Amino acid sequence: MQMPAQWSNFINGQWVGSDQQLPIFNPATGTQIATVAQATTEQATQALDGAQRCIAERRLSKGRPADRVCLLLRVASEIRKIAEYGAKILCLENGKRYSDAHDEFVEAARYFEYYAGMADKIEGVSIPLGDDYVDYTVYEAIGVSVQIVPWNFPVSICARSLAPALAAGNACIVKSPELSPLGLCVLFEALEKAGLPKGAAQLLCGLGSEVGGFLVSSPKTNQIVFTGSVPTGRRIMQAAAHWATPCVMELGGKSAGVVLEDADIHDLLVNIKSGIFLNSGQVCSALSRLLVHRSIYAQVIEAVSTMVKGLTRGDGFSGADITPVISARQQQQIGEMCKLAQEEGARLVVGGGIESEVEGFYVQPTVFADVSPSMTIAQEEVFGPVLCIMPFDTDEEAIAIANGTDYGLVAGVFTNDLRRAMRFTQQLRSGQIFVNEWYAGGIETPFGGVGLSGYGREKGQEALYSYVRTKNIAISLKGQ
Ligand code: NAD
C-alpha cells in the first residue's frame, strides 16, 4: 500500500513539520516505514496558546449546543469515510490485525455519534432556596484538555476522550504515542475535514518525556486525561499536583476471571481466546489471570492448552490469531517475565517466550499453570499473550485471590448459577465486572479502575461529566 513517508503535527488548524523526525517501524518486519515530525516544546506552547484562544473566544460554546451536535456527527461521518485507509496505516505501524484496526476507526466514529447525542443535553439543575433566591447550576467546559494516548488502541482511546471533551466545548490537545502515531494523524485528517474550529483539536507527535511532560506541567492546561502505565501516571499526577490540575487516570490492570465448576467450557475458551490473545495480550483489561475451581482445573488446563496450540501466527493483514507485539523492547520484556515466572516455580504449559527464529516482534502465546498469587507473573502486568492459571477451592478463596493485586480494572466470573455470580459481582473489587462474557459492554458503559488502575471514568454518559465543571449561580431577590 502507498502511504506518505513523512507525517506531521496538527497545530492551530495547520499540518506542521519539525526539524527532528521520529522513525516509525512495522512490528511485523522490524523495518522503518515512515517518520513523523517530532513536536517541540515551542510547538506545544503554540498549541496551548491556540487552545486557550479557542476557549477565550468560545469558538465551540458560543452558538447553540445543537451546533456541536452537528459538528460531532460530521466528524463521525468523516471518520467512517477514512476507516479502511486508516486501518491499513494503523495495521502497518502497530502490528495489530487489520480487522481490529478497522474496528478502532468504527468505534471512534461511534464515540462521536454517541456524544453528539449528549452535546445538547448537558443540563444543570434549579435548587429551591425559598422565595428570596433563584439558584441554579450550569455545566461549563473545563477549558484546555490535554489528552495523553498509549500505543495499544491509539485511535479508539483518543476518540474515547476527544468526543466527550468536544461535546462539552473543551479545546483538546492530544499527545500521540511515540510508537504508533500515524493512525491518529489519519483521525485528525477526518477532524480537519469535518471543519472543527481552529484550536479545538490539535495533535502533537512528540516524546512523552519532553512534550508530554511539558504539557502536563503547564499552568495553561486545565485538565489531563492520561491513559497508560502506572509509572508514567505517577509522574503525571506529581506534575499535575503543582497547579492542582484535575486528572482522569486510566492505568493498567491484572484482571482475573473466576471459573466456577458449572461453567460452559466451550464458551470459556472463546472468551479466553479474545480475553488474553486479542492484540497479542496488549490490552489493559486483558484476562491475564484465570482462577479455576479445583474440580475442573486439570480439564480446563488441557482444553486451554489445546486451543492455544491451534492459534495461528502472522502479520496484521494475514488475519492470524497472534500478531507481533509493538516493539523489540516489549518483546524482550515479555520474554523476561516468562523466564521469571519459571524461575519462581510456575509450570509452563505451552509457549514460553519470544519467537527468535522469525523476523518481526513475535511472542509465543503462553500459558502458565500452578501459579501462586504471590508470584510476580500473578501480580504485575505483562502486556503480552501470557495467561496464568491458578486453582481455588472456595468462592471466598477465589475472591481473595482475584482482589489480591494492587490493580482493579476489570474482573469476571464464568458460571450458569446467577445467584452465585451476583455474589461475585458484589465482592470483586474492580471498575467493571463481566459475567460469562469478557469485554461485555461497549462505548455506552462506564469504564475505569480502582486502586492502581486509576480513577475517573471514560465511556458512557457518566464520562461526559469528567469534561465539565459545575458552576452554581445564586441570585438574591431580597429588597427588590
Ligand atoms: P506509557 O505510560 O509508556 O505511555 C503512555 C503515553 O504517555 C505515551 O503517549 C507517552 O509518550 C506518554 N508519556 C510518557 N512519559 C510522559 C510524561 N512524563 N509526561 C506526559 N506523558 C508521558 O504507556 P504505554 O506503554 O504507551 O501503554 C501501555 C500501558 O497503558 C499499559 O500499562 C496499559 O495497561 C495501559 N492502558 C490502560 C488503558 C485504560 O483504559 N485503563 C488502556 C490502554 C492502555
Side-chain angles (χ1 to χ4, degrees):
M1 191 198 70
Q2 283 289 356
M3 67 181 264
Q6 285 189 315
W7 298 72
S8 308
N9 301 288
F10 190 64
I11 303 171
N12 281 312
Q14 305 284 331
W15 290 98
V16 187
S18 166
D19 291 343
Q20 300 225 48
Q21 310 297 316
L22 284 174
I24 308 300
F25 297 92
N26 177 352
T29 59
T31 52
Q32 187 177 324
I33 51 169
T35 61
V36 70
Q38 183 182 322
T40 61
T41 51
E42 290 74 32
Q43 289 173 327
T45 301
Q46 289 162 13
L48 284 165
D49 291 344
Q52 281 196 318
R53 275 195 300 278
C54 179
I55 293 297
E57 293 175 14
R58 301 177 62 78
R59 289 181 198 152
L60 274 169
S61 54
K62 67 182 166 210
R64 301 271 302 219
D67 298 343
R68 287 202 302 278
V69 174
C70 298
L71 184 63
L72 266 66
L73 288 175
R74 279 205 304 278
V75 172
S77 157
E78 292 298 335
I79 294 174
R80 286 187 187 279
K81 285 185 205 161
I82 49 87
E84 282 180 22
Y85 168 66
K88 283 180 191 152
I89 304 278
L90 181 59
C91 179
L92 269 178
E93 67 166 338
N94 196 291
K96 63 174 56 194
R97 247 187 337 232
Y98 172 79
S99 58
D100 296 334
H102 192 263
D103 285 351
E104 276 204 52
F105 279 90
V106 173
E107 191 166 300
R110 280 286 299 128
Y111 278 116
F112 279 92
E113 287 158 1
Y114 182 82
Y115 288 107
M118 288 188 75
D120 58 352
K121 300 172 192 69
I122 310 174
E123 297 168 352
V125 294
S126 147
I127 298 165
L129 291 179
D131 286 351
D132 287 340
Y133 297 92
V134 174
D135 191 290
Y136 62 97
T137 61
V138 291
Y139 287 119
E140 292 184 335
I142 295 177
V144 178
S145 173
V146 164
Q147 307 181 350
I148 315 260
V149 176
W151 48 260
N152 62 336
F153 290 93
V155 172
S156 58
I157 287 175
C158 175
R160 178 173 91 179
S161 308
L162 203 50
L166 292 172
N170 296 283
C172 305
I173 300 174
V174 173
K175 213 298 278 164
S176 67
E178 292 89 336
L179 296 172
S180 185
L182 307 186
L184 289 182
C185 295
V186 179
L187 182 76
F188 270 72
E189 286 171 9
L191 289 162
E192 183 189 20
K193 287 205 180 92
L196 281 180
K198 210 163 135 184
Q202 306 184 70
L203 177 66
L204 295 174
C205 299
L207 298 176
S209 53
E210 200 180 277
V211 164
F214 180 81
L215 288 169
V216 299
S217 308
S218 170
K220 296 176 183 171
T221 295
N222 303 122
Q223 180 199 35
I224 299 164
V225 182
F226 173 71
T227 310
S229 64
V230 171
T232 309
R234 284 194 176 120
R235 273 197 290 279
I236 291 176
M237 286 185 276
Q238 275 163 1
H242 188 80
W243 296 108
T245 310
C247 299
V248 173
M249 284 282 148
E250 294 283 359
L251 308 175
K254 191 73 205 179
S255 302
V258 179
V259 185
L260 303 186
E261 308 88 293
D262 66 338
D264 182 310
I265 303 295
H266 176 263
D267 280 0
L268 177 68
L269 292 176
V270 172
N271 279 285
I272 293 171
K273 189 173 166 187
S274 65
I276 185 65
F277 299 117
L278 172 79
N279 207 24
S280 284
Q282 302 166 115
V283 183
C284 55
S285 47
L287 168 50
S288 52
R289 294 183 296 150
L290 195 72
L291 279 45
V292 184
H293 192 272
R294 201 176 295 277
S295 64
I296 55 165
Y297 184 64
Q299 181 197 352
V300 168
I301 292 172
E302 180 66 32
V304 172
S305 162
T306 306
M307 182 270 285
V308 172
K309 283 177 187 155
L311 294 177
T312 54
R313 183 193 66 221
D315 69 24
F317 293 104
S318 69
D321 301 311
I322 299 293
T323 49
V325 297
I326 189 75
S327 64
R329 186 160 163 253
Q330 183 74 8
Q331 182 192 36
Q332 216 58 45
Q333 278 173 1
I334 299 168
E336 279 162 23
M337 286 289 279
C338 290
K339 204 160 146 245
L340 184 61
Q342 289 176 79
E343 285 166 12
E344 290 185 1
R347 173 163 66 89
L348 181 64
V349 177
V350 53
I354 64 176
E355 297 274 15
S356 43
E357 305 297 308
V358 292
E359 69 167 6
F361 312 134
Y362 289 93
V363 174
Q364 295 168 344
T366 297
V367 178
F368 287 107
D370 305 348
V371 173
S372 71
S374 60
M375 289 178 185
T376 310
I377 197 87
Q379 288 292 325
E380 288 182 15
E381 191 179 42
V382 178
F383 227 52
V386 181
L387 177 69
C388 304
I389 309 187
M390 316 154 91
F392 69 87
D393 293 296
T394 64
D395 291 3
E396 292 68 31
E397 188 189 1
I399 288 162
I401 298 172
N403 290 345
T405 74
D406 295 328
Y407 294 102
L409 192 54
V410 306
V413 57
F414 296 91
T415 176
N416 285 312
D417 183 339
L418 193 56
R419 193 169 294 159
R420 226 164 132 202
M422 289 305 293
R423 293 284 168 228
F424 274 90
T425 67
Q426 290 161 351
Q427 292 177 56
L428 287 170
R429 176 181 166 272
S430 80
Q432 38 280 305
I433 313 278
F434 306 131
V435 178
N436 289 332
E437 186 186 328
W438 205 260
Y439 301 133
I443 63 164
E444 305 86 349
T445 51
F447 181 85
V450 300
L452 282 188
S453 293
Y455 56 83
R457 290 294 176 266
E458 293 276 42
K459 303 166 93 168
Q461 294 190 32
E462 190 169 329
L464 189 81
Y465 297 94
S466 301
Y467 295 93
V468 291
R469 57 178 162 224
T470 309
K471 181 185 269 179
N472 187 75
I473 295 115
I475 303 170
S476 170
L477 304 179
K478 283 183 195 162
Q480 290 172 27

